[in-house]
Amino acid sequence: MNIGEAAKASGVTAKMIRYYESTGLLRPAVRRSNGYRDYGAVDVHELRFIRRARGLGFDMAEIAELLSLWRDRDRASRDVHRVASGHIDVLQTRIAELKGMVDTLSTLVACCHGDGRPDCPILSDLGGGIDTGQPLERAKRR
Amino acid sequence: MNIGEAAKASGVTAKMIRYYESTGLLRPAVRRSNGYRDYGAVDVHELRFIRRARGLGFDMAEIAELLSLWRDRDRASRDVHRVASGHIDVLQTRIAELKGMVDTLSTLVACCHGDGRPDCPILSDLGGGIDTGQPLERAKRR
DNA sequence: GCTTGACCTTACCATAGTGGGAAGGTCCAT
DNA sequence: ATGGACCTTCCCACTATGGTAAGGTCAAGC
């Protein structure tokens, strides 16, 4: 199977398949005599695995760990459980952060009359907001 | 005021102050004869504004818009209201996405006995998950 | 056999926001 | 004058993804 077919079959772009290989997440694909990568059913299965895990917000490091557990027929489900639970915690922290932002913003928006007049509590707050003096917390990514 | 003092006073690192200037978010700072940037109270105020807006999850483009509205004494609060409301929508979409992930993962984690045995519904799901065949939705960032 | 188009290969660039560091200039206190 | 704490610019790294360009390959149709 060519990379394009594997891409269609897995829902992972050819671009990303090569990238995953380059970072070591995937083992180097078998090459045919013409240099083309050759994929089989197992590879497509792994690609689907990665795609699904990405959709659940796991990052590459976590996926590498999950993938190696997945390949190991003797893994302990405890390990998988741990990775997944840890990820839920991260997601929930992120949700809480976002909710905090929404709360603050909603309050401000509700106080702003939103018409042609220039006075606006949203800008007043941004300009004079309570300042902790601490460096801005580094943004978390999915 | 040197950039370091402005950084301390605003909570924005010197590094980021220079970056904001380089991207045009901030106007080029006044330079002293030795080439050092020189900041005043207004600048610190703008830096705090940016810092606070970043903390609310606005991206640079949105902050640029908010900042120009903030500088404009004749702005219509309607415009600010629009930007802020739009941002709330984005945040809420992001929250919904994350919640969906948590829901799925929680279900899987609850089904996994998490002991020494190798069978694990989390991995089974990742490996055989329902496949839409659609390319993976591009990850949204805060 | 030749052309054409669809595919493959590698390699480089961009994104957004932040941190890190090097190499060199400046200022101030001792 | 020496040292340390600043400042300057410039370049690199990160994540995960997309884009593009230059060139090789294959298969179908003529």
Side-chain angles (χ1 to χ4, degrees):
Chain A
M1 207 187 325
N2 277 348
I3 196 171
E5 298 167 286
K8 256 175 225 144
S10 65
V12 179
T13 63
K15 197 87 190 189
M16 290 314 296
I17 296 176
R18 295 193 196 98
Y19 172 69
Y20 293 150
E21 181 183 316
S22 81
T23 60
L25 182 64
L26 294 176
R27 287 154 308 196
V30 171
R31 300 296 184 125
R32 286 205 297 257
S33 55
N34 58 11
Y36 286 18
R37 289 172 179 83
D38 196 8
Y39 297 95
V42 174
D43 303 298
V44 171
H45 212 195
E46 295 206 349
L47 287 168
R48 288 224 190 110
F49 182 103
I50 294 172
R51 179 172 179 272
R52 180 124 173 89
R54 286 292 300 135
L56 289 174
F58 288 98
D59 63 23
M60 306 304 288
E62 289 167 323
I63 294 178
E65 191 170 358
L66 289 173
L67 207 46
S68 87
L69 288 169
W70 189 62
R71 286 166 179 158
D72 177 7
R73 316 193 105 251
D74 300 327
R75 78 236 159 186
S77 63
R78 186 190 304 115
D79 294 332
V80 189
H81 199 279
R82 174 183 45 75
V83 174
S85 302
H87 185 57
I88 289 177
D89 292 347
V90 170
L91 293 178
Q92 268 165 347
T93 301
R94 221 169 290 178
I95 289 171
E97 285 177 356
L98 293 173
K99 272 189 178 161
M101 296 180 196
V102 168
D103 283 354
T104 304
L105 269 177
S106 298
T107 305
L108 294 175
V109 164
C111 292
C112 174
H113 27 264
D115 55 17
R117 285 173 288 173
D119 49 310
C120 170
I122 302 174
L123 290 184
S124 307
D125 181 90
L126 285 172
I130 300 95
D131 188 356
T132 66
Q134 299 310 307
L136 189 53
E137 192 183 352
R138 190 182 164 81
K140 310 295 190 305
R141 305 199 178 68
R142 73 124 81 170
Chain B
M1 208 188 320
N2 277 349
I3 195 172
E5 297 168 286
K8 254 175 228 147
S10 65
V12 179
T13 64
K15 199 88 189 189
M16 292 312 298
I17 297 176
R18 295 194 196 96
Y19 172 71
Y20 293 151
E21 181 183 315
S22 80
T23 61
L25 183 64
L26 294 176
R27 288 154 308 197
V30 171
R31 299 296 184 124
R32 286 205 296 258
S33 55
N34 57 9
Y36 286 17
R37 289 174 180 81
D38 195 10
Y39 296 94
V42 174
D43 303 297
V44 171
H45 212 195
E46 295 206 349
L47 286 169
R48 288 224 190 110
F49 182 102
I50 293 171
R51 178 172 181 272
R52 181 127 172 87
R54 287 291 300 137
L56 289 173
F58 288 98
D59 62 23
M60 307 304 289
E62 289 168 322
I63 293 178
E65 191 170 358
L66 289 173
L67 206 47
S68 88
L69 288 169
W70 188 62
R71 285 166 178 158
D72 176 9
R73 317 193 105 251
D74 299 328
R75 79 238 159 184
S77 62
R78 186 191 304 114
D79 294 331
V80 188
H81 199 278
R82 174 182 44 76
V83 175
S85 303
H87 186 57
I88 290 177
D89 292 348
V90 171
L91 293 178
Q92 269 165 347
T93 301
R94 224 168 289 179
I95 289 172
E97 285 177 356
L98 292 174
K99 273 190 177 160
M101 297 180 196
V102 169
D103 282 355
T104 304
L105 268 176
S106 299
T107 305
L108 294 175
V109 164
C111 292
C112 174
H113 28 263
D115 55 17
R117 285 172 289 173
D119 49 310
C120 170
I122 301 173
L123 290 184
S124 306
D125 181 273
L126 285 172
I130 300 95
D131 187 358
T132 66
Q134 298 308 307
L136 188 53
E137 190 184 352
R138 190 183 164 80
K140 309 296 191 303
R141 306 201 179 66
R142 71 117 81 173

